[in-house]
Amino acid sequence: MDDDTNDNIFKQTFKYYKQKATPPSFDDVIDFKNARNLDHVNVKQVPSPSNELVNELGLKCKENWEIYELKNVPGLFVIPNSFTDEGRRMWANKCVTEYFKKPHETNVDPFEDNPDNMWKSSCKYIQSNAGKGSCTYEDSLSLLKCCPIWKLRWATLGFHHNWNSKQYSEQPCSELPSELRKTSKLFASMIGTDDFKAEASIVNYYHVGNALSPHDDTSELYLEAPLVSLSFGLSAVFLIGGTTKDQKPEALFIHSGDVIIMSGASRLAYHAVPRILKPASDAQFKSCSVADNLDLFMSHSRLNINIRQVHS
C-alpha cells in the first residue's frame, strides 16, 4: 500500500484533486472561462481562419483568436471556448456514432458481438425500457449505464496505439477522418507549426468518477511535433508538470470546447486528469430521439480527442 509521505509531488497533487471524502478547493486552479488565476499565463492573438473552415469544423467566428501559454510550463497552450454549441454537438455526435466503428479499434472489441451498432442498440434499449410515462433524468441515466456505449473507454484511429507495448502499429492502420486532420493542422498552425501531419488519434470516453493517471506521451517516433487535444462535455481538472514527477504540476480547468496543445518542453511533460466535475443540472429526459440521448450521455461524460503526428 502506498504511503502518502513517500509520494512524489505530482502524485500528491493528483490525489488531492481526486479525493472524494473531502472535496478539494479549486482556488488555485487556472480557469479561463471565469478569468481566474490568469496571472499564471501569457496571452497572444492570432488571426481567425477562413469562414469556410470555421463553418466546416464548428468553430466560433472571431476576428482574432486568443491563445494562452502557461508561464511555468513553456509550450503548453490553451485555446479556450473554441467551438459553437452546434460545433460541440457535432463533435460529440461523431464520437458516439462514428469514431468507434471498424476499422478503428476500441477497448470493447473483444467483448461486443457487433461493436459498430453500440450507439443504435443503446438508444433502442433506452427507448424500450423508459416506458410511456415521464422518465426522470436519474432513471434515464441508470438505463444508459446498462448500455454497451457506456463501456466504451477509448478508440484509436489512424495508426493504432498498442496499450501493452506503448508503440504504434503500422498495420493495421485505419483512415484518419479528414475533420481531425484539418482541425489539428489548423490549431497547430496557430502556435507556429505549419507542417503538422496528423497520423493518429485517441478518443477517450470519461464519466463522472473516472480519472486519467499521471503519465507522459513518448510513444510517437517523432516527438518534435505538438499534440493537439480537443475536449467536449463535462469540465475536468487537468494537471501538467515537467519531465519528472518531482515537479509540482499546474492545475487548470478544461471546459467543453477548449483546445490544449502540448509542444516544446511540455510535449514530454507528465500530465493527468484527476477529476471530472459533476453536471450542474438534472434536466428531465423527455424523449428518446438521438439528440436527447446525446444530451443524456454528455450530461455525465467528457470526451477527449487527441491527435498526434507519429513520424517525422
Side-chain angles (χ1 to χ4, degrees):
M1 183 177 294
D2 288 337
D3 183 348
D4 284 350
T5 60
N6 294 327
D7 283 348
N8 53 64
I9 186 64
F10 199 115
K11 192 171 184 180
Q12 290 175 21
T13 307
F14 179 83
K15 285 184 173 181
Y16 174 75
Y17 284 110
K18 186 182 178 182
Q19 65 183 337
K20 297 178 180 179
T22 304
S25 168
F26 299 120
D27 289 347
D28 294 331
V29 179
I30 299 169
D31 189 352
F32 298 96
K33 183 177 181 179
N34 298 302
R36 195 171 67 204
N37 295 323
L38 296 190
D39 54 325
H40 293 248
V41 303
N42 295 314
V43 61
K44 68 174 183 178
Q45 291 189 342
V46 297
S48 176
S50 67
N51 289 336
E52 180 181 359
L53 201 56
V54 164
N55 293 333
E56 179 184 355
L57 302 178
L59 300 172
K60 288 195 169 181
C61 185
K62 306 176 182 180
E63 183 176 351
N64 291 293
W65 286 62
E66 290 188 338
I67 300 179
Y68 298 85
E69 183 178 15
L70 268 64
K71 293 179 180 178
N72 292 336
V73 189
L76 191 284
F77 296 93
V78 181
I79 310 174
N81 196 21
S82 298
F83 296 84
T84 64
D85 291 343
E86 294 79 7
R88 291 196 295 269
R89 171 173 289 276
M90 177 192 76
W91 284 96
N93 187 63
K94 286 181 180 295
C95 289
V96 301
T97 64
E98 297 180 24
Y99 290 162
F100 59 81
K101 291 184 176 181
K102 291 299 180 185
H104 308 317
E105 297 185 353
T106 77
N107 64 294
V108 300
D109 289 345
F111 314 107
E112 291 293 326
D113 293 333
N114 187 8
D116 282 7
N117 200 42
M118 280 193 298
W119 180 247
K120 288 184 178 179
S121 63
S122 298
C123 292
K124 184 176 180 180
Y125 176 83
I126 295 173
Q127 185 173 12
S128 61
N129 287 277
K132 296 182 180 179
S134 60
C135 188
T136 67
Y137 169 83
E138 289 79 10
D139 292 338
S140 302
L141 187 60
S142 295
L143 291 173
L144 178 62
K145 289 181 178 180
C146 296
C147 293
I149 197 71
W150 201 255
K151 303 173 186 177
L152 191 60
R153 290 294 176 267
W154 55 260
T156 57
L157 302 80
F159 289 108
H160 298 298
H161 185 263
N162 186 305
W163 301 98
N164 295 318
S165 67
K166 305 299 182 184
Q167 295 179 340
Y168 285 90
S169 302
E170 299 294 327
Q171 294 295 333
C173 177
S174 60
E175 181 71 19
L176 198 66
S178 62
E179 66 271 11
L180 293 180
R181 296 197 303 269
K182 291 179 182 179
T183 304
S184 56
K185 186 173 181 61
L186 170 64
F187 284 115
S189 70
M190 289 186 179
I191 65 164
T193 304
D194 296 322
D195 57 351
F196 182 78
K197 181 174 60 176
E199 295 179 302
S201 178
I202 302 175
V203 182
N204 294 301
Y205 301 77
Y206 301 103
H207 308 303
V208 173
N210 294 159
L212 179 65
S213 298
H215 68 285
D216 58 355
D217 288 312
T218 57
S219 297
E220 293 73 34
L221 298 176
Y222 183 62
L223 296 173
E224 300 298 318
L227 187 156
V228 180
S229 174
L230 320 176
S231 290
F232 304 99
L234 294 179
S235 300
V237 176
F238 177 72
L239 303 178
I240 185 162
T243 53
T244 74
K245 295 179 183 177
D246 294 323
Q247 180 175 329
K248 182 175 176 60
E250 290 277 9
L252 56 147
F253 281 126
I254 305 174
H255 299 294
S256 186
D258 288 355
V259 177
I260 288 182
I261 304 174
M262 296 172 64
S263 68
S266 77
R267 178 63 179 81
L268 304 179
Y270 279 94
H271 54 285
V273 178
R275 197 178 195 92
I276 310 295
L277 278 72
K278 292 183 178 180
S281 64
D282 58 351
Q284 292 292 309
F285 178 63
K286 298 180 180 179
S287 72
C288 290
S289 68
V290 171
D292 285 322
N293 282 327
L294 181 60
D295 285 341
L296 177 66
F297 185 91
M298 295 305 293
S299 74
H300 211 72
S301 306
R302 171 181 177 252
L303 302 174
N304 172 252
I305 308 171
N306 55 80
I307 307 144
R308 305 145 184 259
Q309 179 172 335
V310 178
H311 304 94
S312 59

